Amino acid sequence: MTLANTGLSSAEAARRLRVDGPNVLPRARRRHPLLLLMEQLIHFFALMLWVAALFALLAGMPALAVAIVVVVVLNGVFAFAQEYRADRAAQRLRDLMPLRAMVRRDGHPHHVDASELVVGDELLLEAGSRVCADGEVLTASGLAVDESMLTGESVPVRPVAGQQVHAGTYVAEGEATVLVTAIGGHTELAGIAALTQDAKPPRSPLAGQLHRVVVILALLATAVGAAFFGVSLLLGLPLTEGFLFAVGVTVALVPEGLLPTVTLSLARAAQTMASRNALVRRLDAVETLGATTFICTDKTGTLTRNEMSVVHVWTPAGEVSVHGNGYEPIGTVEGAPAAVDRVRALAASAKRCSPRAHVRLQDERWLPVGDPMEVALHVLAGRVGVDGPSADAVRFPFDPRRRRSSVVDFDGVHVTGAPETVLPRCLPVHGAEDAIAALAGRGLRVLAVAGRPARPGDEKSWENAERDLELLGLVGLQDPPRDDVAEAIASCRSAGIRIAMITGDHPATARAIADQVGLRGPDQLVVEGAELPADLDELGALLDRDGVVVARVTPEDKLRIAKALQRKGHVVAMTGDGVNDGPALRAADIGVAMGASGTDVAREAADLVLLDDHFGTIVGAVELGRATFANIRRFLTYHLTDNVAELTPFVVWALSGGTIPLAITVLQVLALDIGTDLLPALALGAEPPNSRTMRGRLRTGSLIDASLMRRVFGVLGPAEAVVSMAAFVVVLLAGGWRLGTAPDAALLATASGTAFTAIVLGQLANAYACRSAARPVMKKRLRGNRLLLWAVAFELAVLIVFLFVPPLPGLLGGHAPSALGWVLAAATVPAVLLADTAAKAVQARKHARMLTDG
Ligand code: ADP
Ligand code: MG
């Protein structure tokens, strides 16, 4: 069958691509932005405020009603803008997800972008591939296709030649060549996708957790508001006034801006991560990444470059070393002529086992196509002078449990695989074991190559074929460690994150590479998958240490390792690239897949995709995750502190039985929430990672914890509240007011303006205090966060507008402070900074004592 052997020509493929267009699903119809905006206007808080506005209107306070409406709309627009941007960012992340396909064109396998597939292409599928077009199976070996995404049917189907496979399904086992019959919008998937596009994605765990916090706060706010309503009625206030207070308290406590700000700061972090080759597949993975305490990494491609070359070959007739540049199939060999002859036979067999790999000359550089190890075998064949295309053959592809692959063709059986699984199937050979130890000890990956003449029935199953073999030799493959891995490992160590190498490779090879990159820890533990204890608790106890090497693991081992470490309380990041790694990737808190190598299945199961396959990229993502987590806590602290200052006047008023007038009006509270508070909170969400981000263990796993509460309700909030209340009372007293009398309206307005100004200025200082939870403001570079400088400038401008531009002062009920008022109001700045610095000093001393004691 000529078609099956050459595929389309690249010229013809390019022509069809031009005519038929790219192989992409029609774009999901996005919900109209207006619809999204509407959603922001009718969610829980918005509804609460609408009701308040309605009541205000009914109670004969149109100005308040209008003001509340303005707040709802402004808030809605702001939230919409943030969510819209976050949504766009998430969409862009999805577009970055690599989706490639292997096709045969011009007679050779080629990697193309899945969007470049055309009808008539010969698609090469292997275990773990996503089928990205509809097609007819031409040849299949051991093919099993998981169609659950399309049909919901979880048992894989086994299509044979002539049957159909569909876009959107996955190859669970085996291999196939498929003739593409429909692409893009013409596939069956396109029809189904159109039906399901409207479904909203489920809420992520972080969003859920936040939502709960927000709802609890809102209910609390409503309850407190109702209580105040009761108190004011008891005090004999008119209904409308009591209602006003209730609204004020509620609005002061409801954290309207919280959710969108969190979403946007996660989205922004995700974008930064993507620009550094770390692609998160769900926004809240950003936060989980920051909490990571254990990284289980594989070796090949992550710690090493995945640039393989055969440097040494052992045969029963002697050894040969091989030299050459990169993947250039020309090189030199060194060794006795008899040995070189045996290497030729070995290379010919090894090449037959790797029919889907080859090297391609482009712009005078030799580039690998396919699995780098298989490519290395092709290069070896070239260097020892073995040539010629591979013949039609029955193939039993590599799988990570069997750890072998084989082909049966016209002149016999050819097997490559991990030595422990190949040697027992060969006639005994003297010296092989020693040779394996020597090669692996140098950090080389060792592959055994074996073969024999064909026998009837070989093509039926690998059990038949991979028997009674003759060992042709052992191949030592070099895969140098990546340059900056050692640095990334050191950074993890300083962050208190443990690392384990989990690899399918030989223990001696794994150990040598672990030593080369400085991964092996003080315990020097190297275990094999088969030796791991069956009990999860024992397994956890064995592996919960730094720098462990686990070799010859199966995908099932990986799953158990992830679970065992989680039982020990770890947040586990686990890498995986194989077709069977899905369960381990899903079980881990952060499943990490490779974007450059690895299977589509693994990418689909992962939370994080490394576009460059690089270990250092994981560590960089963890750092950004930590920084983002800290930022969310920063603006939570900022927001909540403001609430304390806003609530205090109402509490003082109620507790004093109305003798001390209400320091700020409901409208001023709204002005604070919207006018001055949103931007600094946003800017705090953009605080860059600092040198301390990766120093020391993460001390807390939850967003709102005791230390945050202490800071808000014990330090920052009281400092701001006390000084602003004091400013209010002093201005009143200076104006002639006496306790027990009602202040004159103009005086009250000036005093209110002072209290308002005091809170705004206090929040300025607070914004800077919140830049760090541990370091005093003086120790931070003022210009380290430019966005915050702008936000603060804006905040001041808005303050001036609120105080001086009519009719705002009259409407809000706060006039510009007197000279005395300004001085008193400005006192919140040193008050907040002093309280913050003192609290941080105490905390630092306590921390130091804990360190010396412990
Ligand atoms: P790693 O953790 O280094 O990625 P793998 O699970 O990919 O390890 O491989 C495990 C072992 O299986 C390798 O050491 C090698 O001996 C063998 N092996 C890997 N790929 C192939 C292949 N394509 N054909 C034959 N044997 C292979
Ligand atoms: Mg591998």
Side-chain angles (χ1 to χ4, degrees), residues 162-221:
Q163 288 181 319
Q164 293 284 309
V165 289
H166 296 290
T169 61
Y170 286 88
V171 179
E173 282 169 38
E175 290 182 340
T177 53
V178 166
L179 182 69
V180 173
T181 54
I183 59 166
H186 301 289
T187 58
E188 292 201 3
L189 177 66
I192 297 171
L195 282 180
T196 52
Q197 259 157 27
D198 283 343
K200 244 187 149 179
R203 203 197 289 277
S204 66
L206 173 74
Q209 185 191 331
L210 265 169
H211 189 74
R212 267 193 302 283
V213 170
V214 164
V215 167
I216 290 171
L217 283 178
L219 291 178
L220 202 76

Side-chain angles (χ1 to χ4, degrees), residues 297-301 304 306 308 353-354 371 373-374 377 395 397-406 415-422 445-448 477 479 501-506 509 550 552-555 558 577 581:
T297 173
D298 58 5
K299 170 179 70 69
T300 309
T304 67
N306 214 2
M308 300 220 189
C353 287
S354 322
D371 177 42
M373 194 183 80
E374 300 191 356
L377 298 174
R395 195 161 124 83
F398 175 74
D399 92 60
R401 292 194 198 98
R402 197 164 113 256
R403 295 204 186 96
R404 296 184 296 277
S405 69
S406 54
V415 182
T416 58
E420 324 79 280
T421 76
V422 175
R445 165 175 272 214
V446 189
L447 200 69
L477 294 126
D479 180 14
M501 179 198 277
I502 312 282
T503 174
D505 215 335
H506 192 282
T509 311
V550 192
R552 292 304 189 209
V553 292
T554 60
K558 281 193 181 183
D577 55 8
D581 284 339

Side-chain angles (χ1 to χ4, degrees), residues 736-758:
W737 170 79
R738 289 297 164 260
L739 208 67
T741 64
D744 133 294
L747 177 61
L748 182 61
T750 316
S752 276
T754 308
F756 179 75
T757 309

Side-chain angles (χ1 to χ4, degrees), residues 653-673:
W653 169 81
L655 290 184
S656 71
T659 14
I660 297 181
L662 194 59
I664 54 175
T665 66
V666 172
L667 284 181
Q668 280 174 317
V669 170
L670 293 178
L672 281 170
D673 275 4

Side-chain angles (χ1 to χ4, degrees), residues 61-231:
M61 291 177 287
L64 178 63
V66 169
I68 293 179
V69 170
V70 168
V71 166
V72 180
V73 172
L74 270 182
N75 234 330
V77 168
F78 196 72
F80 160 75
Q82 297 193 71
E83 297 225 317
Y84 190 71
R85 281 184 54 192
D87 211 51
R88 292 277 296 269
Q91 177 64 43
R92 234 169 293 145
L93 292 184
R94 276 194 289 280
D95 290 346
L96 282 176
M97 180 82 162
L99 199 53
R100 279 185 301 271
M102 177 96 111
V103 291
R104 200 188 316 270
R105 286 184 188 164
D106 306 319
H108 281 299
H110 276 283
H111 275 298
V112 295
D113 204 275
S115 66
E116 294 168 12
L117 276 187
V118 296
V119 171
D121 253 331
E122 191 183 321
L123 185 58
L124 304 177
L125 298 173
E126 58 192 16
S129 307
R130 181 189 163 100
V131 183
C132 36
D134 288 354
E136 183 195 319
V137 176
L138 296 174
T139 65
S141 50
L143 180 67
V145 175
D146 175 359
E147 294 194 329
S148 56
M149 286 73 183
L150 274 189
T151 59
E153 174 56 56
S154 61
V155 180
V157 296
R158 298 190 164 272
V160 295
Q163 288 181 319
Q164 293 284 309
V165 289
H166 296 290
T169 61
Y170 286 88
V171 179
E173 282 169 38
E175 290 182 340
T177 53
V178 166
L179 182 69
V180 173
T181 54
I183 59 166
H186 301 289
T187 58
E188 292 201 3
L189 177 66
I192 297 171
L195 282 180
T196 52
Q197 259 157 27
D198 283 343
K200 244 187 149 179
R203 203 197 289 277
S204 66
L206 173 74
Q209 185 191 331
L210 265 169
H211 189 74
R212 267 193 302 283
V213 170
V214 164
V215 167
I216 290 171
L217 283 178
L219 291 178
L220 202 76
T222 320
V224 173
F228 270 79
F229 190 51
V231 171

Side-chain angles (χ1 to χ4, degrees), residues 445-525:
R445 165 175 272 214
V446 189
L447 200 69
V449 185
R452 66 165 162 76
R455 289 195 304 226
D458 277 343
E459 68 290 344
K460 293 228 172 67
S461 71
W462 61 259
E463 283 90 346
N464 288 354
E466 296 169 358
R467 247 186 4 201
D468 311 325
L469 302 165
E470 181 202 347
L471 182 68
L472 299 177
L474 299 165
V475 171
L477 294 126
Q478 188 171 50
D479 180 14
R482 289 178 181 271
D483 292 335
D484 34 8
V485 161
E487 210 176 295
I489 289 176
S491 161
C492 282
R493 294 237 155 97
S494 86
I497 299 170
R498 296 189 163 166
I499 311 169
M501 179 198 277
I502 312 282
T503 174
D505 215 335
H506 192 282
T509 311
R511 174 199 304 247
I513 298 287
D515 283 337
Q516 283 173 31
V517 298
L519 181 139
R520 211 136 70 90
D523 295 324
Q524 313 262 306
L525 184 63

